[in-house]
Amino acid sequence: MMERAVLERHGLAPDEYQRILEMLGREPTMTELGIFSVMWSEHCSYKSSRVHLRTLPTTGKRVLQGPGENAGAVDIGDGLAAVFKIESHNHPSFIEPYQGAATGVGGIIRDIFTMGARPIALLNSLRFGPLDLPLVRRTFEGVVAGIAGYGNSIGIPTVGGEIGFDESYTGNPLVNVFCLGISRADEIIKGTASGVGNAVYYVGAKTGRDGIHGATMASAEFDEKSAEKRPAVQVGDPFMEKLLLEACLEVMKTDALVGIQDMGAAGLSCSTCEMGSRGGAGVEIDVSLVPQRETGMTPYEIMLSESQERMLLVVKQGREGEVERIFDKWDLHAVRIGVVTTDGRMRVKDRGDVVADIPNGALTDQAPVYRRPMTEPAYLSAVRQLSLVSLGVPPPVAEVFARLLASPGIASKRWVYRQYDHMVRTNTLVVPGMGAGVVRVKGTNRALALSADCNARFVYLDPYAGAELAVAEAARNVACAGAQPIGATNCLNFGNPERPEIMWQFARAVEGMGAACRALDLPITGGNVSLYNETDGRAILPTPVLGVVGLIENADRVVRRAFQAEGDVIVLLGDSRAELGGSEYLKVIHGLIRGVPPALDLAKEVALQQVLVEGAAAGLIRSAHDCAEGGLAVTLAESCFETGLGATIDLNSVPVDASYMKEVATLFSESASRVVVSVSADRVSDLFALAGTHGVPVTRVGLVGGTGIRIAIDGMTAIDTLLVDAERIWSTAIERHFEASRAMA
């Protein structure tokens, strides 16, 4: 019987070890134990989440590939497919911020080109602790540099994303990376092994000891010993990846491949058994043939290494020389390390001696699946209580406005975006920070919009409603660009699933996500679950990030968030209510996460998005900006920034119990399903008619022009500031944190 300490190091419970004994009919070798450890880790097996993920909608008229492959794919017309996915690299990015983030980018890029698609855009969703903490600033700087270093070097533009801040992420940042690629719809490649006698090839970088047990490390909480886990963080080489990308895409055009798989989490172990399992075949390899960059590596180390920029290929018999020549042309060696067999087993040899012999199904389909206990968290009843009266008289709204613009969650992310090359490949139509990312589909008139969103405060207060709101916001953001949402991917970041209250958060969030996706006809084509995001027993805010892709039929009709012309009329689509629960106002001004999230009517959300898509296609809508963090006042201000066009606004007040909260509730509530749009004066009636057709509330609220931001409520001035002053606060807030820290150094 294996010692308990050995099992604990491998993240295996005693009952799981007993299951291994039954499957093998004997004691496992140490190499087999390591393979089971990584394949049955939460990160690879989804053993706590799988029962819930099965409830999500994954099919639709455009879906070409749903969950289960390296990435999802949807039909975008003209015989083309959009291939996309989002993945997390949270734990590695805390231990080693630069390499953790860089290899996260490299991994998601490989997931896309493994499908036969050329990657054309990157997006990221990031979370950190408060920027006034030196540890957080170092992590933030390292993560951003890692994303920029890898994406810029490989030549794929980072076109946007989102960044949030909260104390819960101080010791456990979130680094979620989204990649979008384009492929011929009939040329999508699968990660499968079949055809007895077909050769198994290893291509790419040599294998080292970096990243061993990375998947297991990503399936455990952090504690004071986390720094010791640095060897579990991989090291990336974007220049090697560029060669690998081009070589793989060239090979895919030859019809010489049966299948191809990235050696990502769990490395050679995962790619070998998953390819065999998908193809109903076995795979036999000899690790002594695997190219190695370190001496004395054991079979255990080779099978568990997560060294980057490596792929596993199955090549048709008789085509081996052709494949080898292509990789040789790109200065990459394709090394034959094994063969496809008939027995459905993963067989690993070392110079001919068998060191592992496991049924593929034992590692994949027969991995443990848990329906873990769930309990509604005790904190909910207390934090959902919010009395605006109890907050007392707020600061003057002009002061609140300035403080919100300076808060890192709302402030311009220019300090981040300017480190990214967002124009490489010349596809980018909307630059970062100006709404959803938009890239043209070359060779067509179409464009694709993409957005990644989640308000974790809403999910903390109500996981079901918060997840619904995340879906709605991500879809609304692409609709604001004029795109019809057509597919989604998710990255579900939560704490320890062995705690019943965390599992309850997760399950309720998945339920809410499913309900919203069904209402919006938005299939989930794949994604990622990242659990055990805890440090010293404290979990992050539950953060289910939604990445949404939308299709714009006419790229000339792309809509941006900023006002476009003096004299345009500013219109609010949707209703405003006094909804401050979970708002940026409460967090920044009062230090609270309390109340209930804004109400969401999914039928009204569908109607609003249809108005946005149709209004953009008809050339009615000149700008559009979703009302989110900071409410209507911040949305109006951000619509002025970048173009230097001010605005004069008069809003109707929202009903509120405490009269002294009227201005705050009107300006800073975060009611859902609202968008600020601008329209030329001669087309206002057309927009009103379109909104009326879909039953969407529509209100004329002001005019574009001037050098200030002037907002009145019921005719009484509430905010009157120069545009340049407001924009200075907003645009420099994040970099001021770094300037202050350097001045103190």
Side-chain angles (χ1 to χ4, degrees):
M1 183 71 178
M2 197 73 67
E3 293 181 10
R4 179 177 293 271
V6 175
L7 295 182
E8 288 178 353
R9 283 201 305 273
H10 285 79
L12 290 166
D15 60 324
E16 291 176 337
Y17 181 70
Q18 187 60 41
R19 187 168 176 171
I20 293 170
L21 293 178
E22 293 169 1
M23 287 177 163
L24 295 179
R26 56 176 171 78
E27 290 272 343
T29 67
M30 188 55 67
T31 299
E32 289 172 332
L33 188 73
I35 292 171
F36 273 105
S37 168
V38 291
M39 291 306 301
W40 284 11
S41 69
E42 194 72 57
H43 191 73
C44 291
S45 73
Y46 290 18
K47 58 189 175 185
S48 299
S49 59
R50 200 183 303 182
V51 293
H52 303 286
L53 298 177
R54 287 172 181 157
T55 67
L56 292 172
T58 58
T59 60
K61 60 185 179 182
R62 289 186 179 271
V63 175
L64 299 172
Q65 178 61 57
E69 271 293 341
N70 291 290
V74 293
D75 191 328
I76 59 172
D78 289 331
L80 299 176
V83 179
F84 57 93
K85 192 181 182 184
I86 190 169
E87 283 269 9
S88 65
H89 231 224
N90 302 336
H91 288 63
S93 297
F94 176 68
I95 296 169
E96 180 52 63
Y98 184 97
Q99 291 296 348
T103 52
V105 173
I108 195 65
I109 290 171
R110 288 194 299 280
D111 281 341
I112 301 307
F113 74 74
T114 296
M115 299 288 291
R118 178 170 292 279
I120 63 169
L122 290 161
L123 201 69
N124 45 66
S125 175
L126 312 175
R127 297 291 190 283
F128 302 95
L131 277 179
D132 55 357
L133 298 177
L135 169 65
V136 172
R137 288 195 299 273
R138 287 195 299 272
T139 304
F140 186 35
E141 279 190 294
V143 165
V144 171
I147 291 170
Y150 208 101
N152 295 354
S153 297
I154 199 171
I156 300 172
T158 300
V159 298
E162 60 154 7
I163 306 175
F165 301 88
D166 182 81
E167 293 84 352
S168 70
Y169 305 111
T170 298
N172 199 129
L174 301 186
V175 178
N176 296 177
V177 187
F178 175 109
C179 188
L180 169 73
I182 302 294
S183 169
R184 294 291 309 173
D186 58 357
E187 294 178 358
I188 293 173
I189 306 294
K190 305 293 181 68
T192 184
S194 61
V196 178
N198 282 334
V200 176
Y201 273 83
Y202 173 114
V203 301
K206 293 182 178 181
T207 294
R209 289 187 171 92
D210 53 320
I212 292 174
H213 270 299
T216 309
M217 179 267 290
S219 306
E221 300 174 29
F222 277 152
D223 54 30
E224 70 278 0
K225 297 182 180 179
S226 294
E228 298 173 7
K229 299 177 180 178
R230 285 182 187 273
V233 179
Q234 311 94 321
V235 177
D237 181 349
F239 303 104
M240 171 69 79
E241 178 126 329
K242 174 63 173 173
L243 297 176
L244 189 61
L245 183 161
E246 298 297 344
C248 287
L249 291 180
E250 183 171 338
V251 165
M252 289 170 184
K253 294 184 182 301
T254 67
D255 191 35
L257 289 185
V258 174
I260 181 170
Q261 173 96 348
D262 165 40
M263 292 187 214
L268 192 52
S269 293
C270 183
S271 55
T272 304
C273 68
E274 285 192 352
M275 289 185 77
S277 180
R278 291 192 191 111
V283 175
E284 180 179 296
I285 63 172
D286 193 315
V287 294
S288 66
L289 303 175
V290 171
Q292 300 162 46
R293 69 168 185 265
E294 298 185 44
T295 59
M297 290 190 71
T298 65
Y300 179 101
E301 292 172 324
I302 294 169
M303 292 303 297
L304 270 62
S305 169
E306 294 183 13
S307 294
Q308 296 291 285
E309 294 86 38
R310 303 178 303 157
M311 309 288 276
L312 197 68
L313 283 62
V314 175
V315 178
K316 294 178 181 177
Q317 291 187 66
R319 308 291 294 276
E320 297 90 349
E322 184 179 352
V323 169
E324 290 173 9
R325 284 191 294 274
I326 290 173
F327 281 99
D328 187 57
K329 166 189 165 183
W330 290 97
D331 289 329
L332 297 170
H333 294 298
V335 180
R336 182 171 181 160
I337 64 168
V339 66
V340 177
T341 65
T342 60
D343 57 13
R345 301 181 74 85
M346 171 206 234
R347 188 170 294 105
V348 181
K349 295 182 176 180
D350 181 19
R351 294 177 175 82
D353 295 330
V354 176
V355 294
D357 191 350
I358 308 170
N360 284 323
L363 298 169
T364 55
D365 298 337
Q366 296 166 38
V369 175
Y370 297 128
R371 189 174 289 276
R372 295 194 184 277
M374 296 186 290
T375 303
E376 182 172 311
Y379 73 79
L380 279 180
S381 59
V383 299
R384 284 176 175 169
Q385 304 302 312
L386 174 63
S387 166
L388 297 185
V389 174
S390 69
L391 298 175
V393 178
V397 290
E399 177 187 330
V400 172
F401 181 58
R403 288 175 63 181
L404 288 179
L405 291 179
S407 65
I410 286 175
S412 168
K413 309 307 184 292
R414 182 183 66 180
W415 182 88
V416 174
Y417 295 148
R418 70 186 181 191
Q419 299 183 52
Y420 302 155
D421 186 343
H422 53 265
M423 294 305 295
V424 65
R425 304 193 66 82
T426 68
N427 292 318
T428 307
L429 296 175
V430 177
V431 299
M434 292 299 286
V438 181
V439 289
R440 67 167 50 86
V441 181
K442 285 184 175 175
T444 76
N445 292 324
R446 295 180 172 88
L448 294 170
L450 46 156
S451 185
D453 294 281
C454 177
N455 186 321
R457 291 191 297 270
F458 293 165
V459 186
Y460 171 77
L461 295 170
D462 185 333
Y464 185 97
E468 281 192 313
L469 287 161
V471 174
E473 182 182 359
R476 191 185 314 131
N477 278 331
V478 302
C480 282
Q484 180 67 50
I486 60 172
T489 178
N490 56 31
C491 200
L492 310 179
N493 306 274
F494 288 79
N496 184 343
E498 297 169 48
R499 293 169 52 193
E501 62 273 22
I502 298 295
M503 203 63 234
W504 182 89
Q505 286 180 334
F506 181 90
R508 289 293 289 162
V510 171
E511 288 177 36
M513 185 182 306
C517 285
R518 281 185 283 272
L520 296 174
D521 191 21
L522 196 58
I524 299 283
T525 63
N528 174 241
V529 176
S530 176
L531 301 176
Y532 295 94
N533 288 289
E534 299 196 6
T535 301
D536 296 328
R538 185 185 178 194
I540 61 165
L541 293 180
T543 314
V545 175
L546 262 292
V548 172
V549 172
L551 179 63
I552 302 171
E553 292 291 347
N554 184 352
D556 293 334
R557 291 292 171 87
V558 172
V559 177
R560 294 161 179 80
R561 87 176 191 187
F563 296 141
Q564 297 296 302
E566 190 107 8
D568 280 355
V569 176
I570 303 170
V571 172
L572 175 65
L573 298 173
D575 281 326
S576 296
R577 296 174 294 274
E579 295 179 298
L580 288 166
S583 66
E584 193 82 8
Y585 167 80
L586 278 184
K587 179 64 175 174
V588 172
I589 305 303
H590 299 283
L592 298 174
I593 303 178
R594 294 187 74 88
V596 296
L600 176 65
D601 184 320
L602 287 166
K604 290 182 178 179
E605 181 67 41
V606 170
L608 170 66
Q609 293 184 23
Q610 204 54 42
V611 168
L612 292 167
V613 174
E614 292 180 19
L620 281 177
I621 296 175
R622 292 167 67 89
S623 73
H625 189 15
D626 165 42
C627 291
E629 287 86 350
L632 194 48
V634 168
T635 299
L636 289 163
E638 290 178 337
S639 298
C640 295
F641 298 155
E642 309 289 352
T643 58
L645 294 169
T648 301
I649 307 294
D650 195 349
L651 304 173
N652 297 321
S653 61
V654 298
V656 64
D657 292 340
S659 60
Y660 54 78
M661 291 294 289
K662 179 183 74 172
E663 290 182 328
V664 165
T666 302
L667 295 171
F668 308 119
S669 286
E670 296 180 8
S671 299
S673 306
R674 294 185 302 165
V675 175
V676 169
V677 303
S678 63
V679 56
S680 62
D682 61 341
R683 305 291 305 272
V684 173
S685 59
D686 295 333
L687 179 60
F688 271 62
L690 176 62
T693 298
H694 291 280
V696 173
V698 55
T699 309
R700 178 172 175 155
V701 297
L703 289 173
V704 177
T707 59
I709 301 172
R710 299 180 178 87
I711 305 177
I713 299 175
D714 298 331
M716 300 293 291
T717 299
I719 293 172
D720 188 353
T721 183
L722 287 173
L723 174 57
V724 292
D725 291 340
E727 188 164 3
R728 185 182 305 112
I729 293 170
W730 173 82
S731 65
T732 62
I734 287 181
E735 58 196 67
R736 284 202 304 270
H737 282 276
F738 292 96
E739 291 170 357
S741 65
R742 291 186 181 108
M744 294 171 60

